[in-house]
Every structure is written in structure tokens, then in C-alpha cells.
């Protein structure tokens, strides 16, 4: 009998060794990290608006689970470098294929129906089989994981019906499933020669049928929306209501500020773990800012993508001028540098308008932006090898490209049909506001 076995009530019980435990946790960590990176990279090609806004929440959650696993793996006598290296090459290769999904439905089918489903089951099994004393620090966090992943799966189940156009992802789902089974699943079980052959066949099918992922020139947008080359209106906002509406529209455009870090998470595959951890949070925060604007506009009766445009001059201005994800990150940081001072002013301005909903949104947005400034400074300097001047130079180039794009668009596009719809809505909002004021006045009098 080895040390890893003990007799309980006459039964031989296998006790998981430190080596076995850390080996499993390392596989879970790899899956969480690569799924999170896949969702990040895919975000720019995800068309469905609900998914645009909520996938960053999921991959931020994924990053929190990965982080807890990573910390625990290192407690289990792992030298730091080993957490990131020497993974099962078959599992690495399998995970790298998930981003080749050709549409939203396939992305969800591969990641949620197959990978997250199995990951959830493996967490349950791990928890069930873990010794409550020996491995208590793992159980403390992992006990919550299956429920969290189930919530992600349930969310996706609910959103699926909104995906337009509807497409059948069953072939992709089957290929991904037999691929994963064929490599012994997430935990690397023994496989039969037939399963092994099926995995090889699945891999070949993907390489043949689904193109390698490259950064698109245009961000995918929901086909339910009216297409638009830009979000920014040609005219400056002057009156309070114009400023209020424009601020909400600007919040919606921040979807690009989630997509840019998502893309960097995917494209930059050799960064320190903290980079992925920081950028997942960054992307998630930006979708919260999007929701702030969306909530405000919806309360006024605007329909997103119909009354107000959802397109990003920011992304297009770089992607269509030879820019890459580093340029996008440089532009994002360039915008954010001016953020805190603007936010402070804007918060007071909205208080003076009596728009407390927006002023509170700005208050929290301002807090988030202070964190993003640190992330931007830290990781851009890292990418520019601490060459601060070079970093500044690129930031200014990307800003110039952005202004040029907006200028060019406004030469050929009059912001219709959005301009007229927004103008009509603003008249209604002001009339309702004035009626409310006079009712308040007469009841007070
Ligand atoms: Fe933001
Ligand atoms: Fe931000």
C-alpha cells in the first residue's frame, strides 16, 4: 500500500496526493485562462448585442477563478514558472481552436455547451473527491465554481434565441465534443485508439473548414441595428438635454473599450498573468459603462441601434489604417488620460441639470477610470519596453487617425436617420420635463 491510500472502515480509499491535486488544478487553470482569452479575442467579432455586453462579465469571472487556481497551484510546491509552462500539448492545441468558431452560435456551442459544461462537472468531481482537511484551501473557493459556471451556461441559454440570423451550430458542437473526448477530456483520462483517431480527425476538420482567426477590419454589430459609420454626431452638444443625450451615447460607444483589451488578451500570448487579470477587469468595467448609457437612453424611450447608432469610429479608425491591437490600446489610454478631469466637471454639470442618474453613473465611471489609467500606463510601458517617448508618439498618432476618420465620415454622412430621431425625442423629453415641472409647481403652490 502506498502513502496515498488509507483504510477507512475496512475500505481502501485513495487519497489525492499533492502532485495529483496540483496537476489537476493546473489543467483547470489552463482551461479557464484560454477560454477567457478566447472570449476576449472573439468579442470584436461577436454580433449579438447582449453577448457584446455580457461576455466580458463572464471572462472577468473566468479570470477570478483562474487567479484563485493559480495562487493555490503555487502553494502546492510549484515553482512559479511551471504554472505557465509544460501544459499537456493536446489540451493546449484543442483550446487554441475554439476561437475559429464562425459565428456567435458556434462560439457559444464550443465554449459553453462543451468546455464549460465539462469544466463544471470536473469541478464538482474534484470537490466531491477532495479531502476536507488536506485540501481545504482549494475547497474554500472551488465549492462555488460549479454554480457560477452553471449561471453562465443558463445566461447563454436565455440569450441564444436573440441571435440573428439563427444558425445551426450542431456540426461544430459535435466536432468540438469528439475532439475533447478524444484527448481524454479536461483532466486527460486514458483514451482508446478510436477516440484518439477521432480527436485527430476533429482537429483536421477544424483546420480545413474554419479559417485561422485574424483581427477584423470592422467590429461586428448586431444585424438588428441600423448600420452606421460612426457614433459621434457632427454637431456639438450645447443645451442640457443635448449634453445629456450625447453623454449617454458616448457611454454606449465604450463597447470598443471592452473589445480592445479583449483583443489584446487574445493576441498577446506571452504576457505575465497579471496582465490578463487586469485587462479582463478593464473590459468588464467598460461594458458596465455601456450599460449606464443604455439604461439612461432606454429610460427616455430610445431604442439602441435604431434611434442611436452603435458603431465605433475608434476601432475602425485604427483597423482600417493598418493599426493593430497595440494601437487600439494606445488610443484607449490616450482617451483615458483626459478622463478624470472631465469626469469631475461632468459630475457637477449633471447635478446642476438635476440628472442625478447620470451624475451617479459618472461618479462610478470616474472611480473605474482611475484604475484603468494605472492599467494602461503599466501595460503600455511594458509593451513599449519602457520607452515612454515612443509610447507617447504612438498615442498621438492613433489620436490623429481617430480625428481624421471622424472628419472624413462627417464629410459624407449627415448622421441620419439618427439625427432626426434624436431631435424628435429630445423635444418630447423636454416637453415632459416642463409638464412635470409645472405640475410640481402648481401642487407646491
Ligand atoms: Fe469607460
Ligand atoms: Fe476605461
Amino acid at each position: 500500500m502506498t502513502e496515498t491510500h488509507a483504510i477507512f472502515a475496512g475500505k481502501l480509499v485513495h487519497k489525492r496526493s499533492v502532485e495529483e491535486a496540483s496537476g489537476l488544478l493546473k489543467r483547470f487553470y489552463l482551461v479557464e485562462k484560454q477560454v477567457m482569452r478566447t472570449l476576449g479575442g472573439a468579442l470584436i467579432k461577436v454580433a449579438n448585442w447582449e453577448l457584446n455586453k455580457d461576455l466580458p462579465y463572464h471572462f472577468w469571472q473566468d479570470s477570478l477563478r483562474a487567479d484563485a487556481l493559480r495562487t493555490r497551484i503555487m502553494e502546492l510546491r510549484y515553482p512559479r514558472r511551471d504554472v505557465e509552462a509544460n501544459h499537456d500539448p493536446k489540451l493546449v492545441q484543442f483550446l487554441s481552436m475554439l476561437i475559429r468558431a464562425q459565428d456567435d452560435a458556434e462560439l457559444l456551442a464550443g465554449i459553453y455547451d462543451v468546455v464549460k459544461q465539462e469544466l463544471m462537472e470536473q469541478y464538482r468531481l474534484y470537490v466531491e473527491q477532495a479531502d476536507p482537511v488536506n485540501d481545504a484551501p482549494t475547497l474554500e473557493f472551488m465549492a462555488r465554481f460549479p454554480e457560477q459556471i452553471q449561471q453562465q451556461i443558463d445566461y447563454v441559454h436565455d440569450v441564444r434565441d436573440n441571435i440573428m440570423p439563427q444558425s445551426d451550430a450542431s456540426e461544430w458542437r459535435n466536432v468540438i465534443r469528439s475532439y475533447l473526448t478524444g484527448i481524454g477530456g479536461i483532466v486527460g483520462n486514458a483514451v482508446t485508439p478510436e477516440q484518439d483517431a477521432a480527436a485527430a480527425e476533429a482537429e483536421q476538420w477544424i483546420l480545413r473548414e474554419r479559417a485561422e482567426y485574424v483581427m477584423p477590419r470592422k467590429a461586428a454589430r448586431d444585424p438588428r441595428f441600423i448600420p452606421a459609420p460612426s457614433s459621434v454626431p457632427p454637431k456639438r452638444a450645447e443645451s442640457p438635454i443635448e449634453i445629456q443625450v450625447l453623454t449617454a451615447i458616448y457611454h454606449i460607444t465604450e463597447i470598443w473599450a471592452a473589445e480592445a483589451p479583449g483583443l489584446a488578451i487574445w493576441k498577446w500570448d506571452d504576457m505575465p498573468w497579471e496582465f490578463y487579470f487586469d485587462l479582463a477587469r478593464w473590459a468588464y468595467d467598460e461594458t458596465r459603462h455601456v450599460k449606464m448609457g443604455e439604461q439612461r437612453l432606454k429610460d427616455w424611450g430610445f431604442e439602441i441601434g435604431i434611434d442611436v447608432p452603435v458603431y465605433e469610429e475608434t476601432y475602425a479608425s485604427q483597423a482600417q489604417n493598418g493599426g493593430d491591437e497595440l494601437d487600439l490600446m494606445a488610443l484607449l489610454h490616450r482617451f483615458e488620460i483626459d478622463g478624470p478631469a472631465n469626469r469631475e466637471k461632468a459630475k457637477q454639470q449633471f447635478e446642476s441639470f438635476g440628472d442625478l442618474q447620470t451624475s451617479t453613473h459618472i461618479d462610478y465611471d470616474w472611480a473605474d477610470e482611475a484604475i484603468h489609467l494605472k492599467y494602461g500606463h503599466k501595460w503600455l510601458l511594458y509593451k513599449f519596453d519602457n520607452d515612454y517617448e515612443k509610447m507617447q508618439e504612438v498615442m498621438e498618432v492613433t489620436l490623429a487617425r481617430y480625428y481624421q476618420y471622424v472628419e472624413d465620415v462627417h464629410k459624407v454622412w449627415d448622421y441620419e436617420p439618427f439625427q432626426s430621431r434624436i431631435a424628435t425625442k429630445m423635444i418630447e423629453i423636454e416637453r415632459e420635463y416642463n409638464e412635470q415641472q409645472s405640475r410640481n409647481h402648481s401642487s407646491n403652490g
Side-chain angles (χ1 to χ4, degrees), residues 18 81 110 121 139 152-153 169 193 195 219 250 268 285 309 338 348 368 382 410:
V18 165
R81 64 180 181 281
E121 285 157 19
L139 292 175
Q152 294 184 346
I153 291 172
Q195 287 174 320
Y250 273 139
W268 303 346
D285 285 348
D338 297 332
Q348 287 163 0
D368 297 333
Y382 184 96
H410 287 159

Side-chain angles (χ1 to χ4, degrees), residues 251 254 257 282 285-286 289-290 336 343 365 368-369 372:
H251 263 144
E254 291 183 47
W282 192 345
D285 285 348
E286 300 300 354
H289 303 163
V290 170
E336 293 197 335
R343 300 266 186 328
D365 173 302
D368 297 333
E369 290 308 319
H372 302 173

Side-chain angles (χ1 to χ4, degrees), residues 171-226:
E171 189 175 22
W172 174 258
R173 186 185 297 109
N174 290 339
V175 169
I176 296 295
R177 190 171 281 141
S178 80
Y179 193 163
L180 183 57
T181 309
I183 60 166
I186 289 170
V187 297
N189 292 318
V191 293
T192 64
E194 291 76 27
Q195 287 174 320
D196 186 51
E201 203 182 303
E203 184 190 355
Q204 287 310 312
W205 186 92
I206 296 170
L207 292 172
R208 198 174 59 240
E209 302 290 333
R210 296 290 181 273
E212 193 174 346
Y213 177 60
V214 289
M215 175 182 162
R217 277 167 58 83
K218 265 184 86 164
R221 289 292 167 247
D222 202 308
R224 292 171 294 180
F225 294 171
I226 296 171

Side-chain angles (χ1 to χ4, degrees), residues 119-159:
L119 186 60
M120 179 175 71
E121 285 157 19
Q122 290 301 337
Y123 281 140
R124 277 203 185 112
L125 215 57
Y126 186 101
V127 168
E128 235 171 74
Q129 294 174 354
D131 183 276
V133 176
N134 291 337
D135 205 6
T138 304
L139 292 175
E140 185 62 23
F141 60 77
M142 198 185 282
R144 296 189 305 272
F145 287 3
E147 195 193 333
Q148 192 176 61
I149 296 178
Q150 184 65 58
Q151 282 169 359
Q152 294 184 346
I153 291 172
D154 290 347
Y155 167 83
V156 158
H157 179 80
D158 292 343
V159 163

